[in-house]
Amino acid sequence: MIQPQIVLLREGTDTSQGKGQLISNINACMAVGPRGLDKLVHDDKGVTTISNDGATIMKLLDIVHPAAKSLVDIAKSQDSEVGDGTTTVVILAGEFLREAKPFVEDGVHPQNIIKWFRAAARMAVDKVREISVSIEGASPEEKSELLKKCAMTTLSSKLVGGEKEFFAQMCVDAVNTLDQGAFIFLYTDLLDPRMIGVKKVMGGSMRDSFLVDGVAFKKAFSYAGFEQQPKYFENPKVLALNLELELKSERDNAEVRLSDPSKYQEIVDAEWNIIYDKLEKCVASGAKIILSRLAIGDLATQYFADRGVFCAGRLQEEDLVRVTKATGAKVQTTVNDLNDEQLGSCAVFEEKQVGNERFNLFRGCPASKTCTMVLRGGAEQFIEEAARSLNDAIEIVRRAVKNAAIVPGGGAIDMELSRHLRDYARTVAGKGQLFINAFAKALEVIPRQLCDNSGFDATDVLNKLRQKHASGDPSGANYGLNVNDGGIMDTYEAFIWEPALVKINAISAACEATCLVLSIDETVKNPRSEGADGQPIHAPGGRGGRGGRGRGRGRGRGMRR
């Protein structure tokens, strides 16, 4: 008897399943890892980005493979959670899948691999915690130096690696200026990174970059009379406004009908009296610096200049927010009833020339500890990459301050974890031994990639590292790659450190992404999301076209096939 055919999915549905589909997903994920040196990415708009930051590269690449997109997500999560190790986590996930691929091809059920990979990841994380060293008890001077070493390790592989000591000190100084408790009621993060501003000025060399102990921003748009204003104050009062101080004739916004032409002058005088009243109240408040998100016109600028008051209008939102938090000023929407409680203060205000730009600097702010890094460089792409590199270093220093446990870098921790798992695998009977060995071998991808990036023979260096870590020498666990001469060295003694949190999060996230890809046994491509010509149909009201044909600008009449 012939069984009737059951049509479950609509015509045009594409399904891929079985071993072939799983291997295809693994191949796609293996191809994603941003290995090697810096990458130059440019889009169809002509925007060029040069970076070796894993999260930045993954965001810029338009990855369409559904399984490979999971690696983009773990790079983003690593960046948001610890701020560094984004390349590490993607490379680890790709290598875990590469080691799992032969088992899948031989017919091993993916759940067996997932079970032992997760067990190996838990063991690796426990081992990291076991061999990590806390720097909590050090004196402030020692701790600052230790944090600098962590930042230098992060910057070693970056574009600014040639000046890593200079920038590492800048990052440590920036984090040390942050308030470690004042904003706990506003933010869950005590060391709030939003209080570190980054400004970029083209020109000069990297060493022309400097750190401002306070707030700095480019001179705002200015009107006539600006040059007559004073540019230096000590202990000034600061008034922050969300208000226009500009003469705007009411005839632009309203219609006025007059029966007596002589009344026209009274209306003009009223307009002038309104603006003068506002300006007098600003000066009477005692503020010497007046800032506003909205325009401060030429009349107000000249008025303030005549009275020895500095003003700046059309400030960017982020600059005004940082100034108000740092000085204690409260943004006002009116100038009525101003008092000292609504004004902020700082120790020194000055305007300074930086390259071709002029900057307004607020130093010694009492309300909150904040700082601004002014970066210099010869090319726009270079400065942008320097900012991304310093962001990674700042995040590392912040994590090291809050979780003061460090492990040796340079591939040392990865080789020690690999040795530990290989030793454990010998005690496991059955297939689990193979899977744990595969996980251990995958961990060696980090020192191998470091060798490749440094131009050395990875096979030779890895053999030396394996021998050293297996020698039983207590200090052997700290040996990693020496990128200067291609040998091996005690990276702990050489102060090549990284926070244990970075390695823990990288291993955990990479293992979870690997298990996610291995657990997929079928991919279904739903045709309902495509039009007759293969173009996507957008939601009603979008640009899907009338009737969902994917052409023209639709008016939201629904989707019909």
Coordinates of all heavy atoms in Angstrom, one line a residue, residues 11-45:
E11 N 5.2 25.2 -0.2 CA 6.1 25.1 -1.4 C 7.2 26.2 -1.4 O 6.9 27.3 -1.1 CB 5.3 25.2 -2.6 CG 6.1 25.0 -3.9 CD 5.3 25.1 -5.2 OE1 4.0 25.3 -5.0 OE2 5.8 25.1 -6.2
G12 N 8.4 25.8 -1.7 CA 9.5 26.7 -1.7 C 10.4 26.7 -0.4 O 11.4 27.3 -0.4
T13 N 9.9 26.0 0.6 CA 10.7 25.9 1.8 C 11.9 25.1 1.6 O 11.9 24.0 1.1 CB 9.9 25.3 3.0 OG1 8.7 26.1 3.2 CG2 10.7 25.2 4.3
D14 N 13.1 25.7 2.0 CA 14.4 25.0 1.8 C 14.8 24.4 3.2 O 15.0 25.2 4.1 CB 15.4 26.0 1.2 CG 16.7 25.3 1.0 OD1 16.7 24.1 0.8 OD2 17.7 26.0 1.0
T15 N 15.1 23.1 3.2 CA 15.6 22.5 4.5 C 16.9 21.8 4.2 O 17.1 21.2 3.2 CB 14.5 21.5 5.0 OG1 14.4 20.5 4.1 CG2 13.2 22.2 5.3
S16 N 17.8 22.0 5.2 CA 19.1 21.3 5.1 C 19.2 20.6 6.5 O 19.0 21.3 7.5 CB 20.2 22.3 4.9 OG 20.0 22.9 3.6
Q17 N 19.6 19.4 6.5 CA 19.7 18.7 7.8 C 20.8 17.6 7.7 O 21.3 17.3 6.7 CB 18.4 18.1 8.2 CG 17.8 17.1 7.1 CD 16.4 16.7 7.5 OE1 16.0 16.6 8.6 NE2 15.6 16.4 6.5
G18 N 21.0 17.0 8.9 CA 21.9 15.9 9.0 C 23.4 16.4 9.1 O 23.7 17.5 9.4
K19 N 24.3 15.4 8.9 CA 25.7 15.6 9.1 C 26.2 16.7 8.2 O 27.0 17.5 8.5 CB 26.4 14.3 8.9 CG 27.9 14.4 9.1 CD 28.7 13.2 8.6 CE 28.2 11.9 9.3 NZ 29.0 10.7 8.8
G20 N 25.8 16.7 6.9 CA 26.2 17.6 5.9 C 25.9 19.1 6.4 O 26.8 20.0 6.2
Q21 N 24.7 19.3 6.9 CA 24.4 20.6 7.4 C 25.3 21.1 8.6 O 25.7 22.2 8.6 CB 22.9 20.6 7.8 CG 22.4 21.9 8.5 CD 22.6 23.1 7.6 OE1 22.6 23.0 6.4 NE2 22.7 24.3 8.2
L22 N 25.5 20.2 9.5 CA 26.3 20.5 10.7 C 27.8 20.8 10.2 O 28.4 21.8 10.7 CB 26.3 19.3 11.6 CG 27.1 19.5 12.9 CD1 26.8 20.8 13.6 CD2 26.9 18.3 13.8
I23 N 28.3 20.0 9.3 CA 29.7 20.3 8.8 C 29.8 21.6 8.1 O 30.7 22.4 8.2 CB 30.2 19.1 8.0 CG1 30.3 17.9 8.8 CG2 31.5 19.5 7.3 CD1 30.7 16.6 8.0
S24 N 28.7 21.9 7.4 CA 28.6 23.2 6.7 C 28.7 24.4 7.6 O 29.4 25.4 7.4 CB 27.4 23.3 5.8 OG 27.2 24.6 5.2
N25 N 27.9 24.3 8.8 CA 27.9 25.3 9.8 C 29.3 25.4 10.4 O 29.8 26.6 10.7 CB 26.9 25.0 10.9 CG 25.5 25.2 10.4 OD1 25.2 25.8 9.4 ND2 24.5 24.6 11.1
I26 N 29.9 24.3 10.7 CA 31.3 24.3 11.3 C 32.3 25.0 10.4 O 33.1 25.9 10.8 CB 31.7 22.9 11.6 CG1 30.9 22.3 12.8 CG2 33.2 22.9 12.0 CD1 31.2 20.9 13.1
N27 N 32.2 24.7 9.1 CA 33.1 25.3 8.1 C 32.9 26.8 8.0 O 33.9 27.6 7.9 CB 32.9 24.7 6.7 CG 33.4 23.3 6.6 OD1 34.3 22.9 7.4 ND2 32.8 22.5 5.7
A28 N 31.7 27.3 8.1 CA 31.4 28.7 8.1 C 32.0 29.4 9.3 O 32.6 30.5 9.2 CB 29.9 28.9 8.0
C29 N 31.8 28.8 10.5 CA 32.3 29.4 11.7 C 33.9 29.4 11.7 O 34.5 30.3 12.2 CB 31.8 28.7 12.9 SG 30.0 28.9 13.1
M30 N 34.5 28.3 11.2 CA 35.9 28.3 11.1 C 36.5 29.4 10.3 O 37.7 29.8 10.5 CB 36.4 26.9 10.6 CG 36.2 25.8 11.6 SD 36.3 24.2 10.8 CE 37.8 24.3 9.8
A31 N 35.7 29.8 9.3 CA 36.2 30.9 8.3 C 36.1 32.3 8.9 O 36.7 33.2 8.3 CB 35.5 30.8 7.0
V32 N 35.5 32.4 10.0 CA 35.2 33.8 10.5 C 36.3 34.4 11.3 O 36.5 35.6 11.2 CB 33.9 33.7 11.4 CG1 33.7 35.1 12.2 CG2 32.7 33.4 10.6
G33 N 37.1 33.6 12.0 CA 38.1 34.2 12.9 C 39.0 35.2 12.3 O 39.7 35.0 11.3
P34 N 39.1 36.4 12.9 CA 39.9 37.5 12.4 C 41.4 37.3 12.8 O 41.9 37.9 13.8 CB 39.4 38.8 13.1 CG 38.7 38.3 14.4 CD 38.3 36.9 14.1
R35 N 42.1 36.4 12.1 CA 43.5 36.1 12.5 C 44.4 37.1 11.8 O 44.0 37.8 10.9 CB 43.8 34.7 12.0 CG 42.9 33.6 12.6 CD 43.0 32.3 11.9 NE 42.1 31.3 12.4 CZ 42.4 30.4 13.3 NH1 43.6 30.3 13.8 NH2 41.5 29.5 13.7
G36 N 45.7 37.0 12.2 CA 46.7 37.8 11.5 C 46.8 39.2 12.1 O 46.6 39.4 13.3
L37 N 47.2 40.2 11.3 CA 47.5 41.5 11.7 C 46.3 42.4 11.6 O 45.2 41.9 11.7 CB 48.7 42.1 11.0 CG 50.0 41.2 11.1 CD1 51.1 41.8 10.3 CD2 50.4 41.1 12.6
D38 N 46.5 43.7 11.3 CA 45.4 44.6 11.2 C 44.6 44.3 9.9 O 45.1 43.9 8.9 CB 45.9 46.0 11.2 CG 46.6 46.4 12.5 OD1 46.4 45.7 13.4 OD2 47.2 47.5 12.5
K39 N 43.3 44.7 10.0 CA 42.4 44.5 8.8 C 42.0 45.9 8.4 O 41.7 46.8 9.2 CB 41.2 43.7 9.1 CG 41.5 42.4 9.8 CD 42.4 41.5 9.0 CE 42.6 40.2 9.7 NZ 43.9 39.5 9.3
L40 N 41.9 46.1 7.0 CA 41.4 47.3 6.5 C 40.0 47.0 5.9 O 39.9 46.2 5.0 CB 42.3 47.9 5.4 CG 42.0 49.3 4.9 CD1 43.2 50.0 4.4 CD2 41.0 49.3 3.7
V41 N 39.0 47.6 6.5 CA 37.6 47.4 6.0 C 37.0 48.7 5.5 O 37.1 49.7 6.2 CB 36.7 46.9 7.2 CG1 35.3 46.6 6.7 CG2 37.4 45.7 7.9
H42 N 36.5 48.7 4.2 CA 35.9 49.9 3.7 C 34.6 49.5 3.1 O 34.4 48.4 2.5 CB 36.8 50.6 2.7 CG 37.1 49.7 1.4 ND1 36.3 49.8 0.3 CD2 38.0 48.8 1.2 CE1 36.8 49.0 -0.6 NE2 37.8 48.4 -0.1
D43 N 33.6 50.3 3.3 CA 32.2 50.0 2.8 C 31.9 50.8 1.6 O 32.7 51.5 1.0 CB 31.2 50.3 3.9 CG 31.3 51.8 4.4 OD1 31.8 52.6 3.7 OD2 30.8 52.1 5.5
D44 N 30.6 50.6 1.1 CA 30.3 51.3 -0.2 C 30.1 52.8 -0.1 O 30.0 53.5 -1.0 CB 28.9 50.7 -0.7 CG 27.8 50.7 0.4 OD1 28.1 51.2 1.5 OD2 26.7 50.3 0.1
K45 N 30.1 53.3 1.2 CA 30.1 54.8 1.4 C 31.5 55.4 1.4 O 31.6 56.6 1.6 CB 29.3 55.1 2.7 CG 27.9 54.6 2.7 CD 27.2 55.0 4.0 CE 25.7 54.5 4.0 NZ 25.1 54.7 5.3

